[in-house]
């Protein structure tokens, strides 16, 4: 995803390492980056998505909260079964991006552990109370991440001034930024995304993300000039549980049913990759 014609594809899945036996495959086509969100991952989000063109994985948990730091056990297992770069989300909780001193300690500890367990890059973001990039904190975290590359996640969509924020990220050394154009979806935020890409002039990768599907990907890529994108190629799969207790939920009342599993849809991965290749030739 560091050459012309790159795209980024992301999705939520569960991982079953046993089903990957003898099915490990790397890819040299880095047009697509696939994000695995959801902590535990199935094979559909691993070897199959690599075969369909994924060139990089962004690993996180807590999809309903927008993505949080995955366990190091997940990272360790994923690294055993994929041969493409794995970028790890560093976000200690859901909610805003204004962190306490103790939360910063957690983020730094997670960065050290992620590097120890083989992360190929880190993804994080932090803001001040007035909606600016937290320069001091981000500078210290970037330094701790090195020599690995770093991505500023969608905390960017909560900034007060995205144009100024982009320049700040450049001075801090971020290689890319994920954004929906500070709107509800990348399609709605397309004008700002294009403006940011024009502003960046190749100095940093501006990566559209948020609500991207096969129905709008072409419009977003052509309308923005983006060379990478972030989307969720997910579908629901019914649980294999035969006995079910519908009276109990393991999370908040608005969370997904325990008996509906979110997995990466390989067909969607294939379709999105084909669309991107057709545009970015």
């Amino acid at each position: 995803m560091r050459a012309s014609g790159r795209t980024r594809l992301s999705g939520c899945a569960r991982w079953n390492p046993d089903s990957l036996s003898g099915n490990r495959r790397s890819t040299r086509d880095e047009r697509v980056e696939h994000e695995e969100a959801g902590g535990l991952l199935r094979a559909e989000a691993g070897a199959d998505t690599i075969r369909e063109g994924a060139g990089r994985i962004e690993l996180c948990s807590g999809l309903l909260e927008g993505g949080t730091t995955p366990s190091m056990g997940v990272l360790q297992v994923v690294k055993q079964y994929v041969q493409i770069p794995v970028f790890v989300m560093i976000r200690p909780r859901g909610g805003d991006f204004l962190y306490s001193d103790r939360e910063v300690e957690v983020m730094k500890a997670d960065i050290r552990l992620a590097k120890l367990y083989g992360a190929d890059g880190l993804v994080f973001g932090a803001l001040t109370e007035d909606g600016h990039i937290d320069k001091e904190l981000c500078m210290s975290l970037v330094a701790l991440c090195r020599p690995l590359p770093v991505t500023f996640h969608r905390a960017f969509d909560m900034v007060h001034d995205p144009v100024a924020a982009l320049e700040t990220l450049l001075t801090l050394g971020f290689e890319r930024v994920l954004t929906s154009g500070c709107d509800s979806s990348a399609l709605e935020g397309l004008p700002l995304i294009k403006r940011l890409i024009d502003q960046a002039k190749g100095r940093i990768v501006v990566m559209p993300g948020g609500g991207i599907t096969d129905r709008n990907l072409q419009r977003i890529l052509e309308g923005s000039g983006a060379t990478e994108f972030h989307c969720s190629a997910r579908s629901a799969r019914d649980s294999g549980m035969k006995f079910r207790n519908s009276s109990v939920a393991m999370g908040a009342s608005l969370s997904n049913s325990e008996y509906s599993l979110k997995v990466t849809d390989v067909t969607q991965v294939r379709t999105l990759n084909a669309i991107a290749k057709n545009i970015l030739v």
Side-chain angles (χ1 to χ4, degrees), residues 111-224:
I111 289 172
R112 295 186 186 98
L113 287 171
K115 292 174 70 176
L116 179 65
Y117 283 96
D120 299 290
L122 288 307
V123 183
F124 61 87
L127 305 179
T128 63
E129 61 182 8
D130 53 359
H132 297 292
I133 304 294
D134 190 330
K135 297 179 185 178
E136 182 178 355
L137 174 54
C138 286
M139 185 180 299
S140 67
L141 295 180
V142 168
L144 188 60
C145 290
R146 294 307 187 204
L148 301 182
V150 289
T151 298
F152 195 92
H153 58 42
R154 285 190 63 197
F156 186 86
D157 290 324
M158 301 299 196
V159 299
H160 177 71
D161 183 346
V163 172
L166 186 67
E167 294 301 321
T168 299
L169 296 184
L170 278 162
T171 63
L172 291 171
F174 283 88
E175 280 78 13
R176 61 177 47 80
V177 56
L178 172 62
T179 179
S180 63
C182 300
D183 214 320
S184 58
S185 71
L187 188 60
E188 295 295 325
L190 188 55
L192 178 58
I193 293 172
K194 176 174 172 37
R195 180 181 177 186
L196 293 170
I197 289 173
D198 291 344
Q199 175 188 344
K201 292 182 170 57
R203 297 173 296 164
I204 184 174
V205 175
V206 178
M207 185 165 51
I212 295 180
T213 69
D214 58 350
R215 295 183 297 277
N216 59 30
L217 175 59
Q218 180 173 349
R219 180 177 171 185
I220 290 170
L221 291 181
E222 291 180 343
S224 67

Side-chain angles (χ1 to χ4, degrees), residues 263-280:
V263 299
T264 297
D265 189 322
V266 178
T267 300
Q268 291 188 45
V269 174
R270 184 184 303 118
T271 301
L272 290 160
N273 189 33
I275 293 171
K277 282 185 175 181
N278 186 53
I279 296 170
L280 300 172

